[in-house]
Amino acid sequence: MAKLYEGKAKIIYETDNPDEVRVLFKDDATAFDGKKKGSIEGKGECNAAISARLFEYLEGQGVPTHYVERLSAKELLCRQLEIIQVEVVARNVAAGSLAKRLGLEEGLVLDRPVLEYYYKSDELGDPLINRYHIRLLELATDEQLDELDRLAWKINELLYEFLDERGLRLVDFKLEFGLDSEGTILLGDEISPDTCRFWDVESGEKLDKDRFRRDLGRVEETYQEVRSRIVDA
Amino acid sequence: MAKLYEGKAKIIYETDNPDEVRVLFKDDATAFDGKKKGSIEGKGECNAAISARLFEYLEGQGVPTHYVERLSAKELLCRQLEIIQVEVVARNVAAGSLAKRLGLEEGLVLDRPVLEYYYKSDELGDPLINRYHIRLLELATDEQLDELDRLAWKINELLYEFLDERGLRLVDFKLEFGLDSEGTILLGDEISPDTCRFWDVESGEKLDKDRFRRDLGRVEETYQEVRSRIVDA
């Protein structure tokens, strides 16, 4: 079946059903707006498995997601979405661009979790934006944004607890949402060490894509470890 | 009297009255986070005169400001403020960092004006922030931010009309607010070609600090021209 879209970490194929797509998870890894490129053996399979498990969990807790079923080791069947071009980032601990932007020490536990919107634009480097920018660019309606906020906070609460029980601290994560053919907002994309920061609850060790970004070593093993904690537990 | 603070474009001196300060406007000009430095002859006097006139106008329209009176060509007497470390930027036309951030053509008239918050921090380069960041850093309360929004929109409406009548299009501008000794929010800082973008209504010519930033020439003459249109008219 025809390829609909190829991104940095996934390929989307059409299926016989116009409302569904096949999502293939690649081993390719990029960082710093694509300036750093590489491959992480087994990443596609790990991220497919982790995403499937977390989508199933969230669905069970009442969060509408695009996930339908796992088709193979690296492939998920998902609902076809018209993606909202706003990335929603939720943060519980200071790290990455937040620490840099506000001059905070990495690891600072945030008294009040932070939500951020980023404009999904490779050319512009996914800039931070606010609600006025979103209205101006007509990326989403105010009602849709309210729903994104509500879902993001709910997902943060659910995932934080789920992961904590598995020895993973949810530092921050990026969500993408989209509209299905009926205009309902569903959680899309993936939930994996590529899109979340996970730190070991005990040691504080980074168990996510920062190992690749910052050349911390044991990259492949980390993806396997996270898969094991989330999927096998 | 003792110098309380020296910034890039102004020096604040104490006065006999602990609730009031003397603000001296300098000819010094900086741009790009201080990377570009220079001097614009007569700027201090122009900006003191322009700010005084605009503060008087806004006060007359019910906007509380720190302005008390003009003491000399380059000096204003102002209320002492505890500055809120959030710069509020209002935009009517795409220019500067907004055009860059969102990939918009400079000059695009915004269907819906945009309000932005920036963290007033030289070390961090005055980054764009949102309400969650402001809560986290405790830069302002939600109630104070609501008041800043309300005042910024009112000021935008008042200034836009006032300037339009004088042949100046108000493209965008930066406001700073602070609390007086009783905790009342007052508009502070200055309102001048250093903190606003003014374009000639007819020709679209830039009549503000962009002439210095971008080496457009006729810098001194431009400050005089804006002073003339705003103060003498």
Side-chain angles (χ1 to χ4, degrees), chain B residues 16 36 50 77 89 94 108 120 124 129 152 203 223:
Chain B
D16 290 332
K36 177 169 183 164
I50 293 165
L77 184 68
V89 170
L108 177 79
K120 196 170 150 58
L124 299 170
I129 54 175
S203 68
Y223 280 80

Side-chain angles (χ1 to χ4, degrees), chain A residues 111-128:
Chain A
D111 288 340
R112 304 154 177 237
V114 161
L115 211 68
E116 298 170 332
Y117 305 127
Y118 291 87
Y119 181 20
K120 197 171 150 58
S121 164
D122 283 341
E123 305 87 67
L124 299 170
D126 296 335
L128 181 74

Side-chain angles (χ1 to χ4, degrees), chain A residues 177-197:
Chain A
F177 295 89
L179 304 171
D180 69 10
S181 55
E182 286 161 11
T184 304
I185 292 178
L186 305 181
L187 177 62
D189 197 42
E190 62 182 286
I191 312 175
S192 75
D194 276 15
T195 62
C196 307
R197 280 192 176 87

Side-chain angles (χ1 to χ4, degrees), chain A residues 34-165:
Chain A
K35 287 188 207 65
K36 176 168 183 165
K37 288 182 187 176
S39 181
I40 301 169
E41 200 190 321
K43 177 169 83 76
E45 202 169 320
C46 286
N47 283 359
I50 293 165
S51 289
R53 178 71 186 97
L54 295 177
F55 280 132
E56 278 167 12
Y57 168 67
L58 291 173
E59 280 280 353
Q61 300 291 323
V63 175
T65 82
H66 70 154
Y67 176 73
V68 179
E69 61 173 333
R70 194 160 172 208
L71 293 173
S72 74
K74 291 183 170 194
E75 289 174 310
L76 306 187
L77 185 66
C78 293
R79 302 285 296 278
Q80 162 89 286
L81 294 183
E82 183 195 335
I83 290 290
I84 295 170
Q85 301 299 316
V86 176
E87 298 184 348
V88 181
V89 170
R91 299 175 180 275
N92 300 302
V93 177
S97 70
L98 181 75
K100 198 173 166 188
R101 178 178 300 275
L102 302 186
L104 302 174
E105 195 168 349
E106 188 167 78
L108 176 79
V109 176
L110 308 180
D111 288 340
R112 304 154 177 237
V114 161
L115 211 68
E116 298 170 332
Y117 305 127
Y118 291 87
Y119 181 20
K120 197 171 150 58
S121 164
D122 283 341
E123 305 87 67
L124 299 170
D126 296 335
L128 181 74
I129 53 175
N130 68 27
R131 283 199 168 221
Y132 293 106
H133 302 138
I134 291 171
R135 277 180 208 140
L136 177 67
L137 298 175
E138 296 183 346
L139 302 179
T141 66
D142 281 4
E143 294 67 32
Q144 288 170 341
L145 275 183
D146 288 344
E147 177 69 356
L148 261 50
D149 285 6
R150 192 185 70 78
L151 289 171
W153 286 127
K154 181 172 179 178
I155 292 164
N156 186 42
E157 204 170 308
L158 290 167
L159 286 184
Y160 194 93
E161 191 182 328
F162 181 93
L163 294 161
D164 187 64
E165 289 167 3

Side-chain angles (χ1 to χ4, degrees), chain A residues 101 115-116 128 130 133, chain B residues 101 115-116 128 130 132-133:
Chain A
R101 178 178 300 275
L115 211 68
E116 298 170 332
L128 181 74
N130 68 27
H133 302 138
Chain B
R101 179 178 299 274
L115 212 66
E116 297 170 332
L128 181 75
N130 68 27
Y132 293 106
H133 301 138

